[in-house]
Amino acid sequence: MDSRGEIDEDTENDKGSMWVLDQKLDQPMDEEAGRLKNMYREKKFSALLLLRLAFQSLGVVYGDLGTSPLYVFYNTFPGGVVDDPEDVVGALSLIIYSLTLIPLLKYVFVVCRANDNGQGGTFALYSLLCRHAKINTIPNQHRTDEELTTYVRSTFHERSFAAKTKRWLERYALRKNALLILVLVGTCMVIGDGILTPAISVLSAVGGIQVEHPQLSNEVVVIIAVIILVGLFSMQHYGTDRVGWLFAPIVLLWFLLIGGIGIFNIWKYESSVLKAFSPVHIFRYFKRRGRDGWTSLGGILLSITGTEALFADLSHFPVSAIQLAFTVVVFPCLLLAYAGQAAFIMHNKTNVLDAFYRSIPDSIYWPVFLVATAAAIVASQATISATFSIIKQALALGCFPRVKVVHTSKKFLGQIYVPDINWILMILCIAVTAGFKNQSQIGNAYGTAVVIVMLVTTLLMILIMLLVWRCHWILVLIFTSLSLLVECTYLFAVLFKVDQGGWVPLVIAAAFLLVMYVWHYGTVKRYEFEMHSKVSMAWVLGLGPSLGLVRVPGIGLVYTELASGVPHIFSHFITNLPAIHSVVIFVCVKYLPVYTVPEEERFLVKRIGPKNFHMFRCVARYGYKDLHKKDDDFEKKLFDSLFLFVRLESMMEGCSDSDEYSLYGQLTQQSRDGLLNNNGNSSSSNMDPTVSSVDSIVPVKSPLHVNNTVSSSGQGSAQTEIDELEFLNSCRDAGVVHILGNTVVRARRDSKFYRKIAIDYIYAFLRKICRENSVIFNVPHESLLNVGQVFFV
């Protein structure tokens, strides 16, 4: 396009702003002053809105990180401070720099920027990578999916380092599987975190009762903690929307209390603890304590627990609000809290076990105890919610068995409840609490889960910085070196305590990893079998205009996982029962590596075979945040998309029976020229109306656009369109039948033994206990038709 064309295009795009400018020139001065005043108010409101979101983020994001002072020093010095009191200063210095390097620098200012349109967590990072490289192990994507408005990705030069990294990842399937396993490991550790956080937070908070009532046994404390945990998990089905307004004030009050108590203890006991801001004391700490100092890092690590939940719960708030809340409230209050506890411990070396509660002034002890218990419950809630979110993401990407997902809020799409996972978490959480009865062993387990999640995030961030951000290799090296230096140090430290409780998250993660990987493996194999056994278009065309079948009135919705081709279930069905409905629609519900798919881009419709076959395909696309519900609304939108397709198709050169997709409105220039002439009328075509090189897949447009388009079409095509629409409506009135494939997957006889175990036993068991497709799609039994098949993979 020449420069004149570019100027005209820019002028057209800026018409709105130019109109506003013209209006401003005609305004009197007092109106202009009023406008400036309104602009100031809007700017002020935006600042107030940011402050409000930062305030709300305290309750959702920082509850877990904020309750760490309850148990950090006890797990660092489980036997008390028996040697030099300067060890407390060294431990405080480690806490200060751990909080600075990991939550502040790494997560708040770097990792949070790697969100997927506001979504956080390991699967959000994986989705970003799947859009920039072909590493998705389920090949159900099409090039038209890349044209979604939410399918944002950057491009790079073929000779760049990012391009080389991309080719290196895509070259071998082993590397794709290794990356998937890495993501699954991080996900499983987050699930373990959802089990351990409520256990240690609630148990540590309730343990404060023994400070004022030392006659109470540890068993009583455990029973009280279990009762609170049962109540917490039993209330999950109500969602956080109804009680979420309480979270932020509780956590803000908690931070202000621990910060104020820290200042009081520094002033009362030992202000010299502030010298811990010098990193020299870290070196002296390891020099004095040797191996004991190294193993004590498992307790220091607990000071940064909750950071991974910070990233997983990112979807509720903008990054700027997260950053503001952390730098202004969370970070300084935590530093003051830990410094105050260190000052208290230096003068009370035998009271490390309950240092937090004993450092509280007597006059405010019980109010602080109540706030601590409430804050522990809020922290547990945040971690449980993060676990639900990451399970939903894994479910959408085919990495978790089908479970029920309930949206608990009509206002906030991200607030969900997964009943099956909720009760599993509750049982395991109670088992950990009642089984260990000890903060130290739970702390060892907790630290192991947290550090592995952080390592997984670091490794994924390396690829994000190379492929998505295209950072200079020096910046990548600096980020990687600092992160791995801290996290690998903590990892080696917690490995010393695997036999002291650290084995718990490893066992939990191994169990969930086995379930998730076997499910994903079976899903991929089933999809590959369906791809290889799908019916060719030549076979469909060979059936003739009547399809060689008895066509009964009504519409048959054939559900399939294939986004192209005729599924094997169709041939299997008509081979055994040579009758089919007058209209057949192959419905494919698929999830893409995007956080959401806009409603206007959700459905793609195409025709299969000649028009008199009355066979269509409808692909419903969802993001991992979206929830697919097969209800009347979904069915209505599906038929609206079908009717709209028929109307727009009358303007096109002909129907298509190829498997290549193209969107109306995003066609090639040649296709547009063939579609409309300069007057906007339908152009004549000499092609066979049953065959075309361009597929007729169209997104949903507004009814106004459709009406204008139809009115400009030729009279003959309009009459054909009206006839087909009447036919479709009559078939819809006759009844809609949902045809689902009830497939049984079996391993071949020549398969290796581990594949037989995975497919014939584990995957078959998971298929048996998980939800059926008919339940997921909410298909009424009176209109359901199951077609059984056996797949050998």
Side-chain angles (χ1 to χ4, degrees):
M1 182 181 295
D2 57 12
S3 58
R4 179 179 178 87
E6 292 175 355
I7 293 174
D8 291 341
E9 185 179 8
D10 293 339
T11 304
E12 181 70 18
N13 292 336
D14 292 336
K15 272 185 178 178
S17 57
M18 288 181 66
W19 180 84
V20 174
L21 180 60
D22 293 338
Q23 294 297 311
K24 288 190 288 187
L25 293 175
D26 296 334
Q27 288 177 343
M29 289 303 294
D30 56 342
E31 291 185 15
E32 181 69 13
R35 187 187 61 81
L36 293 174
K37 187 175 181 181
N38 290 333
M39 287 178 60
Y40 173 76
R41 287 178 178 175
E42 290 177 2
K43 185 176 181 181
K44 184 178 180 181
F45 175 76
S46 63
L48 291 175
L49 178 61
L50 182 63
L51 288 175
R52 191 184 76 178
L53 291 172
F55 167 70
Q56 292 175 343
S57 70
L58 292 173
V60 177
V61 176
Y62 293 113
D64 190 3
L65 188 65
T67 53
S68 296
L70 288 169
Y71 43 77
V72 168
F73 276 107
Y74 167 63
N75 285 275
T76 304
F77 303 103
V81 182
V82 296
D83 297 324
D84 194 343
E86 287 294 314
D87 290 345
V88 180
V89 178
L92 177 61
S93 186
L94 281 167
I95 292 173
I96 291 173
Y97 284 96
S98 295
L99 284 170
T100 303
L101 290 174
I102 301 301
L104 180 64
L105 296 181
K106 177 187 173 183
Y107 273 88
V108 173
F109 286 105
V110 179
V111 176
C112 283
R113 291 183 59 245
N115 60 84
D116 183 14
N117 289 276
Q119 306 301 309
T122 52
F123 268 104
L125 297 179
Y126 183 64
S127 297
L128 272 175
L129 293 174
C130 286
R131 295 206 298 270
H132 288 79
K134 297 178 181 178
I135 56 175
N136 198 347
T137 52
I138 300 180
N140 65 342
Q141 296 182 40
H142 196 271
R143 59 181 178 82
T144 53
D145 298 332
E146 301 176 7
E147 297 170 352
L148 287 169
T149 54
T150 53
Y151 200 100
V152 181
R153 65 173 183 174
S154 57
T155 57
F156 34 79
H157 195 272
E158 286 299 320
R159 295 184 180 180
S160 63
F161 189 74
K164 295 178 182 178
T165 306
K166 176 177 178 290
R167 289 192 293 268
W168 181 83
L169 275 176
E170 296 174 348
R171 188 168 300 154
Y172 299 107
L174 180 63
R175 293 169 186 170
K176 299 178 185 179
N177 290 327
L179 183 62
L180 176 65
I181 292 175
L182 180 68
V183 173
L184 293 182
V185 168
T187 303
C188 294
M189 286 300 172
V190 172
I191 297 173
D193 193 8
I195 296 169
L196 297 170
T197 296
I200 191 171
S201 298
V202 174
L203 188 60
S204 300
V206 174
I209 298 178
Q210 291 180 306
V211 175
E212 290 294 315
H213 299 282
Q215 71 275 11
L216 290 178
S217 64
N218 195 45
E219 285 72 17
V220 175
V221 174
V222 172
I223 292 174
I224 296 174
V226 168
I227 293 173
I228 293 177
L229 290 173
V230 171
L232 173 65
F233 283 99
S234 299
M235 298 292 289
Q236 290 301 311
H237 67 281
Y238 291 109
T240 59
D241 187 30
R242 299 183 183 180
V243 294
W245 58 274
L246 282 173
F247 290 176
I250 290 173
V251 177
L252 177 61
L253 179 61
W254 167 253
F255 277 118
L256 294 178
L257 282 173
I258 62 176
I261 293 171
I263 294 174
F264 172 79
N265 287 327
I266 294 172
W267 170 78
K268 180 179 180 180
Y269 293 105
E270 190 65 65
S271 61
S272 63
V273 294
L274 298 179
K275 63 185 178 181
F277 282 90
S278 172
V280 175
H281 294 279
I282 296 177
F283 172 75
R284 294 175 180 174
Y285 177 79
F286 287 117
K287 185 177 180 181
R288 282 193 307 269
R289 301 202 68 192
R291 179 184 172 89
D292 291 338
W294 185 265
T295 56
S296 69
L297 288 177
I300 302 292
L301 174 62
L302 298 181
S303 64
I304 56 177
T305 55
T307 309
E308 69 290 342
L310 178 156
F311 184 48
D313 282 325
L314 188 65
S315 60
H316 299 89
F317 306 97
V319 175
S320 56
I322 300 289
Q323 294 172 341
L324 180 64
F326 188 84
T327 53
V328 175
V329 178
V330 178
F331 187 63
C333 288
L334 285 177
L335 294 183
L336 290 172
Y338 287 118
Q341 283 192 53
F344 172 82
I345 293 172
M346 290 183 70
H347 281 259
N348 302 272
K349 294 189 291 185
T350 58
N351 292 329
V352 179
L353 173 62
D354 41 22
F356 174 79
Y357 281 110
R358 291 193 179 276
S359 65
I360 300 174
D362 294 337
S363 58
I364 61 171
Y365 178 83
W366 286 112
V368 173
F369 171 78
L370 294 176
V371 174
T373 305
I377 294 174
V378 172
S380 304
Q381 175 64 58
T383 312
I384 295 169
S385 299
T387 305
F388 290 159
S389 297
I390 205 165
I391 289 291
K392 171 67 174 63
Q393 294 178 11
L395 176 67
L397 296 177
C399 296
F400 202 85
R402 297 186 299 267
V403 292
K404 184 178 182 180
V405 178
V406 180
H407 277 245
T408 59
S409 172
K410 295 181 179 179
K411 295 186 295 183
F412 304 103
L413 187 61
Q415 294 187 6
I416 60 175
Y417 168 63
V418 186
D420 301 329
I421 300 300
N422 180 69
W423 303 123
I424 292 174
L425 292 180
M426 186 188 76
I427 293 172
L428 293 176
C429 185
I430 292 175
V432 169
T433 305
F436 282 138
K437 304 179 183 179
N438 188 309
Q439 295 180 31
S440 179
Q441 289 187 326
I442 299 178
N444 295 336
Y446 193 17
T448 304
V450 168
V451 72
I452 293 178
V453 174
M454 291 180 177
L455 275 171
V456 170
T457 303
T458 299
L459 296 177
L460 293 176
M461 277 300 302
I462 296 174
L463 296 176
I464 293 291
M465 296 177 76
L466 291 174
L467 292 177
V468 182
W469 292 352
R470 290 175 289 170
C471 296
H472 195 279
W473 66 270
I474 294 179
L475 294 177
V476 179
L477 182 62
I478 293 173
F479 172 82
T480 306
S481 301
L482 289 177
S483 300
L484 293 182
L485 175 64
V486 177
E487 292 161 4
C488 288
T489 301
Y490 279 126
L491 177 64
F492 292 137
V494 297
L495 290 179
F496 284 103
K497 298 184 177 182
V498 170
D499 59 336
Q500 303 174 29
W503 57 271
V504 173
L506 299 179
V507 172
I508 294 174
F512 276 98
L513 179 63
L514 179 65
V515 169
M516 295 174 73
Y517 188 77
V518 169
W519 181 264
H520 181 76
Y521 176 78
T523 302
V524 171
K525 291 300 179 183
R526 191 179 73 249
Y527 184 85
E528 290 177 350
F529 182 88
E530 292 189 4
M531 281 290 294
H532 294 151
S533 61
K534 66 181 180 180
V535 180
S536 65
M537 188 55 61
W539 182 84
V540 176
L541 295 175
L543 294 175
S546 65
L547 295 182
L549 305 169
V550 176
R551 304 301 293 269
V552 297
I555 297 179
L557 298 181
V558 182
Y559 290 86
T560 173
E561 295 183 2
L562 297 180
S564 63
V566 178
H568 184 263
I569 181 179
F570 180 72
S571 64
H572 183 73
F573 175 74
I574 62 177
T575 300
N576 292 275
L577 182 63
I580 198 65
H581 298 85
S582 299
V583 178
V584 178
I585 305 175
F586 298 103
V587 181
C588 172
V589 177
K590 71 173 183 177
Y591 286 86
L592 302 175
V594 295
Y595 75 104
T596 187
V597 176
E599 283 291 339
E600 63 272 12
E601 300 176 0
R602 175 135 2 250
F603 293 97
L604 298 179
V605 181
K606 69 174 290 186
R607 187 185 296 275
I608 299 179
K611 282 189 175 182
N612 54 2
F613 279 26
H614 301 300
M615 295 172 62
F616 303 89
R617 174 180 294 109
C618 179
V619 179
R621 303 178 296 183
Y622 292 85
Y624 55 79
K625 186 181 177 181
D626 297 327
L627 178 65
H628 166 67
K629 292 181 65 177
K630 199 292 152 197
D631 50 17
D632 294 336
D633 187 51
F634 173 81
E635 191 172 295
K636 178 181 179 299
K637 291 177 181 178
L638 188 150
F639 285 118
D640 287 346
S641 303
L642 176 63
F643 297 154
L644 180 57
F645 164 80
V646 173
R647 293 176 181 177
L648 292 177
E649 189 192 35
S650 64
M651 307 179 336
M652 306 183 77
E653 296 177 345
C655 65
S656 169
D657 43 12
S658 68
D659 285 332
E660 292 298 321
Y661 288 162
S662 65
L663 290 174
Y664 179 79
Q666 295 179 338
L667 299 174
T668 61
Q669 188 62 40
Q670 181 181 0
S671 300
R672 288 197 186 97
D673 295 340
L675 180 62
L676 297 173
N677 58 23
N678 294 331
N679 296 326
N681 296 325
S682 178
S683 62
S684 60
S685 174
N686 296 324
M687 297 180 62
D688 186 341
T690 63
V691 180
S692 173
S693 60
V694 179
D695 245 353
S696 309
I697 296 189
V698 295
V700 178
K701 299 292 183 183
S702 64
L704 179 61
H705 174 78
V706 175
N707 293 334
N708 293 336
T709 303
V710 173
S711 64
S712 63
S713 303
Q715 185 69 30
S717 59
Q719 183 62 41
T720 304
E721 163 208 325
I722 294 173
D723 292 342
E724 184 165 17
L725 287 176
E726 291 178 352
F727 176 75
L728 291 175
N729 275 314
S730 63
C731 291
R732 184 181 182 182
D733 294 338
V736 179
V737 176
H738 304 267
I739 304 173
L740 277 72
N742 187 12
T743 58
V744 178
V745 182
R746 291 282 184 265
R748 292 192 297 265
R749 292 184 178 180
D750 57 346
S751 300
K752 296 181 179 180
F753 75 95
Y754 59 84
R755 176 177 291 185
K756 291 182 178 180
I757 293 176
I759 296 296
D760 293 346
Y761 295 98
I762 302 178
Y763 183 74
F765 175 74
L766 293 175
R767 290 267 297 184
K768 185 177 296 185
I769 64 173
C770 75
R771 306 181 80 212
E772 294 290 340
N773 280 330
S774 59
V775 178
I776 294 175
F777 294 135
N778 195 25
V779 177
H781 292 288
E782 58 272 12
S783 61
L784 172 65
L785 184 61
N786 268 318
V787 180
Q789 291 186 100
V790 178
F791 289 168
F792 290 94
V793 299

